[in-house]
Amino acid sequence: MENEILKTLEILNTSGKFTIGNDLVYLPDFSASFNDLFKKKVYTATEIAYCDAFENSILRYASTWAAKEAVYKAIKQIDQSTLGWKKIEIIRKKNAGQPQVTIHKPEADYKISLTISHDGDYVWAIALIDTDL
C-alpha cells in the first residue's frame, strides 16, 4: 500500500501541475519535546483553542504540526520567500472536521488540499497544491 501511495505522489509531483509536502510525527518524541515556548512560536490562537478543546490535546497539536510542516514543504517548492509558522494556519470548522489551510500572506493565493491521519504513535499529513491555476 505504501509503495502505491508513493508511486501516485511521484506521478502527481512530476506532472508539474502539483507540489506535494508531507510530514510524519512520532507522538512519543513530539510529546517529550512539546512545551509552552514551542506552542507560542508555532500555533495561532485559533489552533490553540481547537487543540485544547480535546481531552488528548497533544494528538491535536501533533496533527496540526504535521499539517503545517506538510504545507510548508509544498509551498517551498514554488515560493522560496520566508514563511513563518503562524502564517500557516490549519482550521477546522468543527471538532475533528476537515482541515483547511489559511496562508496569512497577502500575495499567497494557493489552492491547497490537506489530509491528516493518525494511527497509534504516528501522525501523517499530506498537502497538495494545485499550481495549474
Side-chain angles (χ1 to χ4, degrees):
M1 175 83 167
E2 183 178 338
N3 286 338
E4 291 175 23
I5 292 170
L6 292 175
K7 278 187 208 176
T8 302
L9 291 174
E10 185 176 335
I11 290 167
L12 288 172
N13 201 27
T14 57
S15 71
K17 295 182 181 182
F18 299 95
T19 62
I20 299 168
N22 76 88
D23 194 57
L24 180 68
V25 173
Y26 182 57
L27 282 169
D29 288 349
F30 182 85
S31 296
S33 64
F34 187 79
N35 59 47
D36 282 338
L37 179 60
F38 178 76
K39 184 175 167 178
K40 288 176 187 173
K41 288 175 92 171
V42 171
Y43 302 96
T44 66
T46 301
E47 292 168 332
I48 291 170
Y50 173 80
C51 294
D52 285 344
F54 290 86
E55 186 176 325
N56 184 7
S57 64
I58 199 70
L59 175 62
R60 305 306 168 165
Y61 279 108
S63 298
T64 303
W65 172 245
K68 284 175 173 271
E69 280 273 8
V71 169
Y72 179 85
K73 291 171 184 176
I75 289 174
K76 282 302 183 181
Q77 295 175 51
I78 53 178
D79 182 356
Q80 292 297 310
S81 64
T82 304
L83 184 63
W85 293 116
K86 287 189 176 184
K87 299 285 185 187
I88 302 168
E89 188 170 38
I90 310 303
I91 298 173
R92 294 132 175 125
K93 303 262 186 217
K94 61 180 184 173
N95 282 352
Q98 177 182 356
Q100 296 177 348
V101 181
T102 299
I103 304 298
H104 298 286
K105 188 175 176 183
E107 66 277 7
D109 186 26
Y110 304 115
K111 185 177 178 185
I112 303 173
S113 180
L114 175 66
T115 185
I116 304 169
S117 183
H118 51 86
D119 186 14
D121 286 340
Y122 293 94
V123 174
W124 187 28
I126 300 174
L128 182 72
I129 298 177
D130 185 348
T131 60
D132 201 23
L133 297 175

